[in-house]
Amino acid sequence: MTTTQILLFAFAGIGALATISIISIAWRRGDGTATGSVDRKAMRGDPAVARRWIAAPAPALAGEGRPVVVAAPIDPLEARQELDEESYGMTRRRFFNRGILGVFGLFLAQFGVASLAFMWPRLKSGGFGSEVNAGKIEDLKIAALTEDGRVQPVVIAAAQAYVVPVQGSLEGSSFDGLPVVAAGFMALWHRCVHLGCRVPECDTSLGFECPCHGSKYNFHGEYEDGPAPRNMDRFLVSISEDNELIIDTGTVIETARASVKTVEYPEGPTCI
Ligand code: FES
């Protein structure tokens, strides 16, 4: 599934959630009849209520000064009718609370989907982490030769790799018997095995020399010097039916520091 498809699904899901939320809120609001109880402070501040209290009859004197008991005025706070949750309906406060929760939920959903899309492995053929077509073997052979007849690595950016033509025999080397050679080519990962810097090629020494801490590797990526703990890593390679070099960047092959070197290093002045 591509990132675009994931984002489309995510936005469709968010839209559905938003629609369900709006319908739910509208449903809960019922027919729009405003009901509810009046709080004590509002009641005391209401002039009409105050007038009713003032107009209430005071205890009257009957006949010869004997007090006559009259009915006490009705306290509207006592007489108010309590409403249950259902008939209370949707208050403004509740509406805003739900609105804030809804917006926060949408934000979390979008953040989650964006994070998922970011971390989703790129399994599409052709990207790093999958098989990368490095081109026709004939073209690689031409590209791997300089005008003066020397060999040079071919940079395959999509694979983060140097494709190097194997010089001589690998028998007895760190790579003997490993599936790292196809049609006479190896694919070295350009990442330094010390701390991960990109290792540039050095035209003069004909090796790879890391500018970060000085690790050096020969043309086959065999360890020569510096703090690197092993040879340069390489990828599994194969040949397609159309005679193209296929680099499987999902399969990294590590080898220990070479005790037997298969090429000379340096061939000239080093770069660092
Ligand atoms: S990262 Fe290359 S030598 Fe340290």
Side-chain angles (χ1 to χ4, degrees), residues 42-97:
M43 184 66 83
R44 282 181 179 156
D46 188 335
V49 174
R51 276 197 298 278
R52 284 180 59 190
W53 277 94
I54 293 168
L61 295 177
E64 291 145 9
R66 286 187 297 129
V68 175
V69 178
V70 296
I74 298 171
D75 184 350
L77 295 178
E78 300 295 335
R80 66 180 177 177
Q81 183 184 3
E82 294 294 339
L83 299 177
D84 59 29
E85 278 284 312
E86 197 55 40
S87 55
Y88 200 77
M90 176 66 68
T91 64
R92 184 166 46 190
R93 175 181 299 175
R94 185 175 297 176
F95 177 77
F96 279 116
N97 284 345

Side-chain angles (χ1 to χ4, degrees), residues 214-266:
S215 288
K216 295 174 180 168
Y217 313 86
N218 64 26
F219 188 71
H220 283 171
E222 292 166 327
Y223 170 84
E224 289 284 352
D225 197 11
R230 59 181 186 271
N231 299 324
M232 287 175 76
D233 293 337
R234 54 211 67 216
F235 299 115
L236 180 73
V237 285
S238 59
I239 304 296
S240 73
E241 291 179 355
D242 296 328
N243 204 31
E244 296 160 327
L245 183 72
I246 304 300
I247 304 174
D248 181 0
T249 56
T251 305
V252 179
I253 297 171
E254 299 179 2
T255 51
R257 285 179 175 179
S259 53
V260 176
K261 308 292 170 54
T262 54
V263 286
E264 291 292 322
Y265 175 87

Side-chain angles (χ1 to χ4, degrees), residues 192 194-197 199 210 212-215 217 227-228:
C192 183
H194 178 222
L195 290 179
C197 291
V199 189
C210 183
C212 293
H213 310 99
S215 288
Y217 313 86

Side-chain angles (χ1 to χ4, degrees), residues 10 14 17 104-114:
I14 291 167
L17 276 176
F104 187 63
L106 280 177
F107 170 77
L108 277 184
Q110 283 182 317
F111 181 75
V113 169

Side-chain angles (χ1 to χ4, degrees), residues 103-204:
V103 170
F104 187 63
L106 280 177
F107 170 77
L108 277 184
Q110 283 182 317
F111 181 75
V113 169
S115 303
L116 189 64
F118 179 75
M119 292 185 292
W120 198 269
R122 289 189 291 169
L123 299 179
K124 185 165 66 83
S125 177
F128 188 78
S130 66
E131 290 187 346
V132 175
N133 188 332
K136 297 272 188 191
I137 297 298
E138 297 76 36
D139 297 335
L140 289 173
K141 284 179 178 169
I142 294 169
L145 281 177
T146 61
E147 289 180 353
D148 58 4
R150 287 174 23 123
V151 289
Q152 64 182 1
V154 181
V155 176
I156 307 296
Q160 300 184 13
Y162 295 113
V163 169
V164 296
V166 174
Q167 305 296 293
S169 168
L170 295 183
E171 196 174 333
S173 73
S174 312
F175 320 111
D176 196 3
L178 295 178
V180 296
V181 183
F185 284 101
M186 287 192 291
L188 312 180
W189 192 0
H190 69 203
R191 173 181 169 275
C192 183
V193 297
H194 178 222
L195 290 179
C197 291
R198 183 182 179 281
V199 189
E201 59 193 284
C202 177
D203 286 340
T204 49

